[in-house]
Amino acid sequence: MTKNIKEDKAMMIYPKGYQSSLSQRETQKAIKVVKDTFQAALAGVLNLDRVTAPLMVTKKSGINDDLNGVERKVHFTMMRIDGEAEVVQSLAKWKRRALYRYGYKAGEGIYTDMNAIRRDDETDNLHSLFVDQWDWCKVIKKEERTLSYLESTVQKIVDAIFFTNEKIKMNYPALGLDMKKEVFFITTQELEDMYPDLTPKERENEITKKHKTVFLMQIGGKLKSGEKHDGRAPDYDDWELNGDILFWNELLGCAFEISSMGIRVDAESLHRQLEIEGCLDREEFDFHKGILDGTLPLTIGGGIGQSRLCMLLLQKAHIGEVQCSIWSDEMRNECKEHGIILL
């Protein structure tokens, strides 16, 4: 499709002449194909078992994900239970504790359907207040806390996505997404050095447009410029061994993040990152104590967006075409005017 992209004040992107290749009913069936195919492929390449997961956790547990550290959690009180509960923002910490409690060993892992409400997200083509992803985590050995192990795991995930895309193209010939299987690896500092005058998002667009499939590494710490490429909570990923999987989205003309993942903190990196962020008080939480004293296993893990993956492979212009969420009347009306019908 030849595009003439227009962005409005809300940063919405409207591909000129857009029309979905699938009806809403066909889309619902195709979503199931994507999800069934991908999660089976992911479990196979990473040796993961599917497990059930919580929608809410207690505030005092310290188990909820703080994301960038500024997002407000949805919270509430309960009948006959003291304290407050919080709707999860992700399961980064919960998964690691589950691996320990369930007795998983090195080379074994879990994945689950994670549903969350992120009330402070700015909604646009790619972002919704409702988040659905495959959260996964795997036990690793100390000697596997390396860049090479991280990169090999990333390639396996991309292989599973590529396999799913081929299945979709076979089932729906109108959806001929051209996807590059080989991953280009680059650090945030290398990217800043290449494009020092661009914003982090502009850098991502430039490198992903060039290489199509990118793993952008080392997110969370400050760069030489004194700025962060992006924020990461200090107590799940090791900022030296993490990153984002990005694909070039030709329809929208931008880098498209599918997954945030990484080798999780050990005792040394946890303490260092908590100190940098000025939140050493978290070391008093049971979860953090479990990392510091070596009770919890060393792990690698991440989240893979379910609606994001469906949106990419089904070539949709808006995430609301593949998930049900809450949108402003203004967004619904403007989307409709541009051929985008939100569920």
PDB file of all heavy atoms in Angstrom, residues 104-125:
ATOM      1  N   TYR A 104      11.229 -25.287  39.470  1.00  0.00           N
ATOM      2  CA  TYR A 104      11.838 -25.346  38.140  1.00  0.00           C
ATOM      3  C   TYR A 104      13.362 -25.295  38.242  1.00  0.00           C
ATOM      4  O   TYR A 104      13.927 -24.630  39.111  1.00  0.00           O
ATOM      5  CB  TYR A 104      11.327 -24.205  37.266  1.00  0.00           C
ATOM      6  CG  TYR A 104       9.965 -24.485  36.677  1.00  0.00           C
ATOM      7  CD1 TYR A 104       8.804 -24.315  37.444  1.00  0.00           C
ATOM      8  CD2 TYR A 104       9.823 -24.948  35.372  1.00  0.00           C
ATOM      9  CE1 TYR A 104       7.555 -24.592  36.916  1.00  0.00           C
ATOM     10  CE2 TYR A 104       8.574 -25.226  34.832  1.00  0.00           C
ATOM     11  CZ  TYR A 104       7.451 -25.046  35.610  1.00  0.00           C
ATOM     12  OH  TYR A 104       6.204 -25.336  35.094  1.00  0.00           O
ATOM     13  N   LYS A 105      14.021 -25.977  37.311  1.00  0.00           N
ATOM     14  CA  LYS A 105      15.483 -26.062  37.271  1.00  0.00           C
ATOM     15  C   LYS A 105      16.023 -25.313  36.058  1.00  0.00           C
ATOM     16  O   LYS A 105      15.274 -24.890  35.178  1.00  0.00           O
ATOM     17  CB  LYS A 105      15.931 -27.525  37.225  1.00  0.00           C
ATOM     18  CG  LYS A 105      15.358 -28.393  38.345  1.00  0.00           C
ATOM     19  CD  LYS A 105      15.769 -27.900  39.724  1.00  0.00           C
ATOM     20  CE  LYS A 105      15.216 -28.811  40.827  1.00  0.00           C
ATOM     21  NZ  LYS A 105      15.528 -28.285  42.183  1.00  0.00           N
ATOM     22  N   ALA A 106      17.346 -25.167  36.003  1.00  0.00           N
ATOM     23  CA  ALA A 106      17.988 -24.472  34.895  1.00  0.00           C
ATOM     24  C   ALA A 106      17.584 -25.097  33.560  1.00  0.00           C
ATOM     25  O   ALA A 106      17.571 -26.317  33.412  1.00  0.00           O
ATOM     26  CB  ALA A 106      19.503 -24.501  35.046  1.00  0.00           C
ATOM     27  N   GLY A 107      17.216 -24.248  32.607  1.00  0.00           N
ATOM     28  CA  GLY A 107      16.784 -24.715  31.305  1.00  0.00           C
ATOM     29  C   GLY A 107      15.286 -24.892  31.183  1.00  0.00           C
ATOM     30  O   GLY A 107      14.779 -25.181  30.085  1.00  0.00           O
ATOM     31  N   GLU A 108      14.567 -24.724  32.303  1.00  0.00           N
ATOM     32  CA  GLU A 108      13.110 -24.873  32.317  1.00  0.00           C
ATOM     33  C   GLU A 108      12.463 -23.526  32.638  1.00  0.00           C
ATOM     34  O   GLU A 108      13.047 -22.703  33.328  1.00  0.00           O
ATOM     35  CB  GLU A 108      12.678 -25.892  33.379  1.00  0.00           C
ATOM     36  CG  GLU A 108      13.305 -27.262  33.219  1.00  0.00           C
ATOM     37  CD  GLU A 108      12.999 -28.187  34.389  1.00  0.00           C
ATOM     38  OE1 GLU A 108      12.689 -27.664  35.489  1.00  0.00           O
ATOM     39  OE2 GLU A 108      13.077 -29.409  34.201  1.00  0.00           O
ATOM     40  N   GLY A 109      11.242 -23.333  32.143  1.00  0.00           N
ATOM     41  CA  GLY A 109      10.591 -22.059  32.407  1.00  0.00           C
ATOM     42  C   GLY A 109       9.085 -22.122  32.270  1.00  0.00           C
ATOM     43  O   GLY A 109       8.498 -23.184  32.037  1.00  0.00           O
ATOM     44  N   ILE A 110       8.457 -20.958  32.402  1.00  0.00           N
ATOM     45  CA  ILE A 110       6.999 -20.843  32.367  1.00  0.00           C
ATOM     46  C   ILE A 110       6.594 -19.663  31.497  1.00  0.00           C
ATOM     47  O   ILE A 110       7.368 -18.739  31.264  1.00  0.00           O
ATOM     48  CB  ILE A 110       6.415 -20.640  33.780  1.00  0.00           C
ATOM     49  CG1 ILE A 110       7.003 -19.381  34.440  1.00  0.00           C
ATOM     50  CG2 ILE A 110       6.659 -21.862  34.649  1.00  0.00           C
ATOM     51  CD1 ILE A 110       6.413 -19.026  35.796  1.00  0.00           C
ATOM     52  N   TYR A 111       5.347 -19.721  31.006  1.00  0.00           N
ATOM     53  CA  TYR A 111       4.746 -18.546  30.382  1.00  0.00           C
ATOM     54  C   TYR A 111       3.284 -18.497  30.806  1.00  0.00           C
ATOM     55  O   TYR A 111       2.699 -19.504  31.217  1.00  0.00           O
ATOM     56  CB  TYR A 111       4.880 -18.572  28.860  1.00  0.00           C
ATOM     57  CG  TYR A 111       3.904 -19.470  28.137  1.00  0.00           C
ATOM     58  CD1 TYR A 111       2.708 -18.970  27.616  1.00  0.00           C
ATOM     59  CD2 TYR A 111       4.172 -20.827  27.969  1.00  0.00           C
ATOM     60  CE1 TYR A 111       1.814 -19.792  26.940  1.00  0.00           C
ATOM     61  CE2 TYR A 111       3.284 -21.662  27.301  1.00  0.00           C
ATOM     62  CZ  TYR A 111       2.110 -21.138  26.786  1.00  0.00           C
ATOM     63  OH  TYR A 111       1.227 -21.950  26.135  1.00  0.00           O
ATOM     64  N   THR A 112       2.698 -17.318  30.710  1.00  0.00           N
ATOM     65  CA  THR A 112       1.315 -17.148  31.140  1.00  0.00           C
ATOM     66  C   THR A 112       0.673 -15.998  30.389  1.00  0.00           C
ATOM     67  O   THR A 112       1.361 -15.163  29.790  1.00  0.00           O
ATOM     68  CB  THR A 112       1.260 -16.873  32.653  1.00  0.00           C
ATOM     69  OG1 THR A 112      -0.094 -16.924  33.104  1.00  0.00           O
ATOM     70  CG2 THR A 112       1.843 -15.516  32.996  1.00  0.00           C
ATOM     71  N   ASP A 113      -0.652 -15.966  30.400  1.00  0.00           N
ATOM     72  CA  ASP A 113      -1.387 -14.814  29.871  1.00  0.00           C
ATOM     73  C   ASP A 113      -1.448 -13.757  30.964  1.00  0.00           C
ATOM     74  O   ASP A 113      -1.966 -14.016  32.053  1.00  0.00           O
ATOM     75  CB  ASP A 113      -2.810 -15.216  29.475  1.00  0.00           C
ATOM     76  CG  ASP A 113      -2.832 -16.138  28.263  1.00  0.00           C
ATOM     77  OD1 ASP A 113      -2.224 -15.780  27.245  1.00  0.00           O
ATOM     78  OD2 ASP A 113      -3.454 -17.204  28.341  1.00  0.00           O
ATOM     79  N   MET A 114      -0.916 -12.585  30.692  1.00  0.00           N
ATOM     80  CA  MET A 114      -0.933 -11.494  31.648  1.00  0.00           C
ATOM     81  C   MET A 114      -1.862 -10.400  31.137  1.00  0.00           C
ATOM     82  O   MET A 114      -1.714  -9.908  30.023  1.00  0.00           O
ATOM     83  CB  MET A 114       0.476 -10.926  31.832  1.00  0.00           C
ATOM     84  CG  MET A 114       0.626  -9.944  32.999  1.00  0.00           C
ATOM     85  SD  MET A 114      -0.019  -8.276  32.743  1.00  0.00           S
ATOM     86  CE  MET A 114       1.041  -7.669  31.432  1.00  0.00           C
ATOM     87  N   ASN A 115      -2.837 -10.033  31.957  1.00  0.00           N
ATOM     88  CA  ASN A 115      -3.731  -8.921  31.656  1.00  0.00           C
ATOM     89  C   ASN A 115      -3.521  -7.831  32.693  1.00  0.00           C
ATOM     90  O   ASN A 115      -3.466  -8.123  33.901  1.00  0.00           O
ATOM     91  CB  ASN A 115      -5.191  -9.368  31.659  1.00  0.00           C
ATOM     92  CG  ASN A 115      -5.491 -10.343  30.539  1.00  0.00           C
ATOM     93  OD1 ASN A 115      -5.018 -10.178  29.421  1.00  0.00           O
ATOM     94  ND2 ASN A 115      -6.270 -11.372  30.834  1.00  0.00           N
ATOM     95  N   ALA A 116      -3.404  -6.602  32.253  1.00  0.00           N
ATOM     96  CA  ALA A 116      -3.131  -5.498  33.164  1.00  0.00           C
ATOM     97  C   ALA A 116      -3.890  -4.254  32.752  1.00  0.00           C
ATOM     98  O   ALA A 116      -4.371  -4.144  31.617  1.00  0.00           O
ATOM     99  CB  ALA A 116      -1.624  -5.203  33.204  1.00  0.00           C
ATOM    100  N   ILE A 117      -4.003  -3.320  33.687  1.00  0.00           N
ATOM    101  CA  ILE A 117      -4.556  -2.002  33.417  1.00  0.00           C
ATOM    102  C   ILE A 117      -3.469  -0.980  33.714  1.00  0.00           C
ATOM    103  O   ILE A 117      -2.963  -0.921  34.833  1.00  0.00           O
ATOM    104  CB  ILE A 117      -5.791  -1.709  34.293  1.00  0.00           C
ATOM    105  CG1 ILE A 117      -6.894  -2.737  34.047  1.00  0.00           C
ATOM    106  CG2 ILE A 117      -6.312  -0.295  34.027  1.00  0.00           C
ATOM    107  CD1 ILE A 117      -8.056  -2.631  35.014  1.00  0.00           C
ATOM    108  N   ARG A 118      -3.100  -0.223  32.692  1.00  0.00           N
ATOM    109  CA  ARG A 118      -2.104   0.823  32.882  1.00  0.00           C
ATOM    110  C   ARG A 118      -2.791   2.167  32.650  1.00  0.00           C
ATOM    111  O   ARG A 118      -2.868   2.674  31.530  1.00  0.00           O
ATOM    112  CB  ARG A 118      -0.911   0.610  31.943  1.00  0.00           C
ATOM    113  CG  ARG A 118      -0.168  -0.690  32.265  1.00  0.00           C
ATOM    114  CD  ARG A 118       1.076  -0.877  31.444  1.00  0.00           C
ATOM    115  NE  ARG A 118       1.706  -2.158  31.737  1.00  0.00           N
ATOM    116  CZ  ARG A 118       2.700  -2.683  31.025  1.00  0.00           C
ATOM    117  NH1 ARG A 118       3.180  -2.015  29.988  1.00  0.00           N
ATOM    118  NH2 ARG A 118       3.216  -3.850  31.349  1.00  0.00           N
ATOM    119  N   ARG A 119      -3.283   2.728  33.735  1.00  0.00           N
ATOM    120  CA  ARG A 119      -4.170   3.886  33.677  1.00  0.00           C
ATOM    121  C   ARG A 119      -3.491   5.141  33.147  1.00  0.00           C
ATOM    122  O   ARG A 119      -4.165   6.062  32.668  1.00  0.00           O
ATOM    123  CB  ARG A 119      -4.733   4.154  35.080  1.00  0.00           C
ATOM    124  CG  ARG A 119      -3.654   4.428  36.109  1.00  0.00           C
ATOM    125  CD  ARG A 119      -4.168   4.413  37.534  1.00  0.00           C
ATOM    126  NE  ARG A 119      -4.958   5.577  37.850  1.00  0.00           N
ATOM    127  CZ  ARG A 119      -5.439   5.846  39.063  1.00  0.00           C
ATOM    128  NH1 ARG A 119      -5.194   5.000  40.065  1.00  0.00           N
ATOM    129  NH2 ARG A 119      -6.157   6.907  39.287  1.00  0.00           N
ATOM    130  N   ASP A 120      -2.153   5.198  33.220  1.00  0.00           N
ATOM    131  CA  ASP A 120      -1.450   6.405  32.823  1.00  0.00           C
ATOM    132  C   ASP A 120      -0.869   6.347  31.420  1.00  0.00           C
ATOM    133  O   ASP A 120      -0.172   7.269  30.995  1.00  0.00           O
ATOM    134  CB  ASP A 120      -0.313   6.711  33.822  1.00  0.00           C
ATOM    135  CG  ASP A 120      -0.853   7.145  35.164  1.00  0.00           C
ATOM    136  OD1 ASP A 120      -1.909   7.786  35.187  1.00  0.00           O
ATOM    137  OD2 ASP A 120      -0.222   6.844  36.196  1.00  0.00           O
ATOM    138  N   ASP A 121      -1.121   5.273  30.685  1.00  0.00           N
ATOM    139  CA  ASP A 121      -0.627   5.198  29.313  1.00  0.00           C
ATOM    140  C   ASP A 121      -1.376   6.184  28.413  1.00  0.00           C
ATOM    141  O   ASP A 121      -2.596   6.328  28.506  1.00  0.00           O
ATOM    142  CB  ASP A 121      -0.791   3.782  28.756  1.00  0.00           C
ATOM    143  CG  ASP A 121       0.390   2.894  29.102  1.00  0.00           C
ATOM    144  OD1 ASP A 121       1.202   3.301  29.958  1.00  0.00           O
ATOM    145  OD2 ASP A 121       0.499   1.800  28.526  1.00  0.00           O
ATOM    146  N   GLU A 122      -0.644   6.862  27.552  1.00  0.00           N
ATOM    147  CA  GLU A 122      -1.248   7.719  26.530  1.00  0.00           C
ATOM    148  C   GLU A 122      -1.745   6.822  25.400  1.00  0.00           C
ATOM    149  O   GLU A 122      -0.969   6.074  24.807  1.00  0.00           O
ATOM    150  CB  GLU A 122      -0.220   8.716  25.996  1.00  0.00           C
ATOM    151  CG  GLU A 122       0.209   9.768  27.009  1.00  0.00           C
ATOM    152  CD  GLU A 122      -0.836  10.843  27.211  1.00  0.00           C
ATOM    153  OE1 GLU A 122      -1.827  10.865  26.448  1.00  0.00           O
ATOM    154  OE2 GLU A 122      -0.666  11.659  28.129  1.00  0.00           O
ATOM    155  N   THR A 123      -3.016   6.878  25.101  1.00  0.00           N
ATOM    156  CA  THR A 123      -3.573   5.994  24.079  1.00  0.00           C
ATOM    157  C   THR A 123      -3.340   6.557  22.678  1.00  0.00           C
ATOM    158  O   THR A 123      -3.504   7.753  22.445  1.00  0.00           O
ATOM    159  CB  THR A 123      -5.076   5.773  24.302  1.00  0.00           C
ATOM    160  OG1 THR A 123      -5.751   7.033  24.312  1.00  0.00           O
ATOM    161  CG2 THR A 123      -5.316   5.074  25.628  1.00  0.00           C
ATOM    162  N   ASP A 124      -2.934   5.671  21.775  1.00  0.00           N
ATOM    163  CA  ASP A 124      -2.749   6.025  20.372  1.00  0.00           C
ATOM    164  C   ASP A 124      -2.823   4.737  19.558  1.00  0.00           C
ATOM    165  O   ASP A 124      -3.392   3.744  20.025  1.00  0.00           O
ATOM    166  CB  ASP A 124      -1.431   6.776  20.155  1.00  0.00           C
ATOM    167  CG  ASP A 124      -0.208   6.019  20.675  1.00  0.00           C
ATOM    168  OD1 ASP A 124      -0.279   4.773  20.769  1.00  0.00           O
ATOM    169  OD2 ASP A 124       0.822   6.662  20.965  1.00  0.00           O
ATOM    170  N   ASN A 125      -2.240   4.710  18.370  1.00  0.00           N
ATOM    171  CA  ASN A 125      -2.292   3.509  17.546  1.00  0.00           C
ATOM    172  C   ASN A 125      -1.735   2.289  18.256  1.00  0.00           C
ATOM    173  O   ASN A 125      -2.238   1.167  18.082  1.00  0.00           O
ATOM    174  CB  ASN A 125      -1.488   3.695  16.254  1.00  0.00           C
ATOM    175  CG  ASN A 125      -1.991   4.812  15.380  1.00  0.00           C
ATOM    176  OD1 ASN A 125      -1.810   5.993  15.710  1.00  0.00           O
ATOM    177  ND2 ASN A 125      -2.626   4.463  14.270  1.00  0.00           N
TER     178      ASN A 125
END
